[in-house]
Amino acid sequence: MKFWIILLLALVVFVSCKTEKSSDENMEINSFINELMAEMTLQEKIGQLNLVTPGGGILTGSVVSTDVEEKIKSGQVGGIFGIYGPEKVKQAQALAVEESRLGIPLLFGSDVIHGYKTTFPIPLGLSCSWDMELIKKTAQVAAKEATADGIFWNFSPMVDIARDPRWGRIAEGAGEDPFLGSAIAKAMVEGYQGDDLSDSKTMMATVKHLALYGASEAGRDYNTVDMSKLRMYNDYLPPYKAAVEAGVGCAMSSFNDVDGIPASGNKWLLTDLLRNQWGFDGFVVSDYTSINEMIAHGMGDLQAVSAMALNAGLDMDMVGEGFLSTLEKSLEEGKVTEEQIDMACRRILEAKYKLGLFDDPYRYNDISRPEKDILSKENRQIAREAAARACVLLKNDNQVLPLKKSGKIALVGPLADSQNNMLGTWAPTGEHHLAVKVVDGFIKNVGSSVQIFYAKGANIVDDPDYAKKINVFGPKVFIDKRSPKEMIDEAINVSKKANVIVAVVGEASEMTGEAANRTNLLIPENQKKLIRALAKTGKPLVLVVMSGRPLALTEELELADAVLFTWHPGVEAGNAIADVIYGDYNPSGKLTATFPRNVGQVPIYHSIRNTGRPQGSDEFQKFKSNYLDVENTPLLPFGYGLSYTDFEYANLKADKTKLTESEVLNITVDIINTGNYDGEEIVQLYIRDMVASITRPLKELKAFEKVPVKKGESKSVSFKISVDDLKFYNANLDYDWEEGEFEIMVGANSADLQSVKVNWSK
Ligand code: BGC
C-alpha cells in the first residue's frame, strides 16, 4: 500500500514538474517572440511567411523564386529549400542573420522522403517491412545526414492513404491501411524529430499532404477529391492525426480540394480540424504554389486566394509569393486582419525557436559533419537491411529460391544492369552513381562460385515518346540501338547456357512519383514479350520485379516459378537483392497495398464494406455485386507475402467470449515454423463489428506483430484488445464503440484468417 502511495506521489511530482517545465518553456518562447515581433514591421512579418527556392533539387512546379539574395537581405524570406551543404547553407543563413535588419534566421528545408544520401527503399516498399523500429531508424539516419548537410526541416512524412495504384504518388506513402499508416506516421515523426528539435542531429518533420491527396479521382495527380466525412474520419484522416499526436512540427496542405474547397484555402481543414479538433500547434505550409493554384480552381485572383489561404489558417506560402505580394493590400482593404498575419508569423518564429536557431543560427553548419555522418558504412548497412526487408516474395514454386551459390545463372532484363532506376522516385538528394546495380550485387555476393551471363533482353519501354516523359529528371530509360528481337534473342541464348534465369523487370523509377500516373498497371508489353520468351525455354524462371506501385501481374505469376517484388530498393539495391535471392536474408515483407487482377478493379483494398447483395462464392451470380469478366477478389491481398520457410497458425484462442467495457480481451495464437529455414512472420489481427449504426468494414486491421521463429520452433503471439480498438466515427462523427458481437480474425494476410467471435457489452 505504502509503495503505491509513494509511487503515486512520485508520479504527481514528475507530471507537475514536466508541465511546469513546459509552461516555463512556453513563457520563455512567448516573451522572446513578443519582444522580437514588437520590433518587426508589417513587411517583415509578411516576409517570414515566404518560402522560396532558388531552383536546386527537383522542381515540381513551373516557377522558381527570383532575386532570392535581395529578398533575404530585405527581410522578405522566412525559409528556403533547394540549397545543400553546410557551407552553402551558412552563406545563405548569413545573409539573413548578418545582413537583414533584424537578423532573423531562415528555415532550410528539403524533401528527404526515403533517406538523404543513403537512399532507402521507396516508402511504399519500406512499409512492407511492417517494422516500426526499422522505419524509425531510417528516419533517424535521414535526419542525421540531412542536418549534416545543413537541412533541418523535412517535407516528410507523406502519409496519404492510397487505394488506387494508377496514382504515381502511391510510391511515397505507406499504402492503403489507416492503422498501419498511423503507426508508420508516428515512427517517422519520432525518427526525424527525436526528443529535442534543437539537437543538431534531428530535423523538423512535415506531415503531408493535408488532406486526402491519395484519393484523387481516377488516380490522376492533383485531381478532384470528393468523399463522405465518414470515410474521411475513419479511413483517410487517421495517419495525419497520428503524426500530429506524435508532435509533428509542420503540416503541408495538399493540391486537391476537400469537400469542394481547395485544401490550401480550407478553413474547416486547416483550422477547425487540424488545430481545434486535433490540437496541432505547429505551422502550416502550402504545397508548391498551391495557393496560386486556387486561381485555376476558380477561387478568385491572386489577392483573393492568398487572403483565403491566410484566413483558412495557412501560415507559409511555398514559392507562390501570393502572401508577399498581396497581403498588405488585403489588410488595407479589410480582407485579412493584422492578428492573422501576426499569428502566422508567430508560428513560424516559434518553430525557429524550437529548432534552436535563435541560440545559434549556424548549429547545422558544421563542415566536418558530412564526411562523418553521410553515407557511412553503418548507414549503408541499414539501407541494405531495409531494402531486403522491403522485398515481398509473391511466388516460390518448388522452392526455386533461394538459389544455390553454385552453377550458372542468366541475369537478364532492363533493370539488371541499371543504376539510374535503383533509388526510386522522390530521391532528389540521392546520387545514382552510388547505387549498387543488381548485377554488381550478385557478383559481389557469389564471387566466382557462380557463372553469371548477362543480357539486357528488353528496354524498359520501347516507345521514345513514353521514354521522354519518364526521363524528365534525367535518363532512366535507354533505348537500345538493337531491335527488340535482337535483344530477346541474346537473352534466350544466354539463358540456354544457364541452370536458372533471373529476370529483373518492371518500371523505371520515374514511372511512379509526382505526376507519373498510369492507366495501365501492366509490366510494359515489350518486357512481357521477353518474359514469355524466357518462360518458353523451360528453365526455372525467377522474376525480380521493381516498381513504385502495385502491378497487375496475373500473367507473370503464371509464367514464372518465383516472383520477388523488390519495389525500387534504394542505394543498396543490388546487395540487398542478392542477399535475398541467395538466402542470406529470408524475405519477410508483406504487401501494404492490394494487388489487383486488372486495372478495372481499382480502387481496391481489403477493408471493404458489405453490399446488400454480397457475392457469396467465387462463382458469378446474377444480381450480385460482381463483374462479368473478372473475380471480385484481388490478385494478391493486403498483408500477403511468402517466406522461404512455412508458417502454420494453430490454437487461436480468446480468453473470454463475453466482455464488458473495462475488460481486456487476450487473443493468443501459435506460429509454428514447419519449413526449412529460420524466418520472420508478420502476424495480423483484424476485427469485424458485426452489427452497428453505420455500415462497417468486413475486416479492419487492428494489431500486428512481426515475430522471428526459428526452423522447427513454435512461438505464442498474444494481442490485447480493448474497447479502444472497437471505436469508429459514427454518423454524428463521434468516436465511440457500440456493443454487440465482434469477429476477431488472426492470420498471415487479410484473406487467410482464422476467427473467434466475442460479445462486448456496455
Ligand atoms: C510536392 C510536395 C513537395 C514540394 C516541394 C510538391 O510538388 O507535392 O510533396 O514537398 O513539391 O518539393
Side-chain angles (χ1 to χ4, degrees), residues 14 149 359 757:
F14 176 74
D149 230 13
D359 276 346
K757 281 195 173 162

Side-chain angles (χ1 to χ4, degrees), residues 58 60-61 81 111 155 169 172 208-209 213 222 252 255 287-288 318 426 514:
I58 290 180
T60 55
F81 67 105
D111 290 276
F155 306 150
R169 298 194 83 168
E172 261 182 87
K208 72 186 189 184
H209 307 82
Y213 184 29
Y222 320 123
M252 186 185 291
F255 287 121
D287 203 344
Y288 205 111
M318 189 192 290
W426 266 117
E514 187 166 350

Side-chain angles (χ1 to χ4, degrees), residues 3 86 144 249 372 375 544 567 593 730:
F3 170 78
K144 192 169 171 193
K372 281 184 298 191
L375 283 162
V544 171
W567 310 97
N730 62 26

Side-chain angles (χ1 to χ4, degrees), residues 277 490 594:
Q277 287 185 37
E490 186 197 16
T594 302

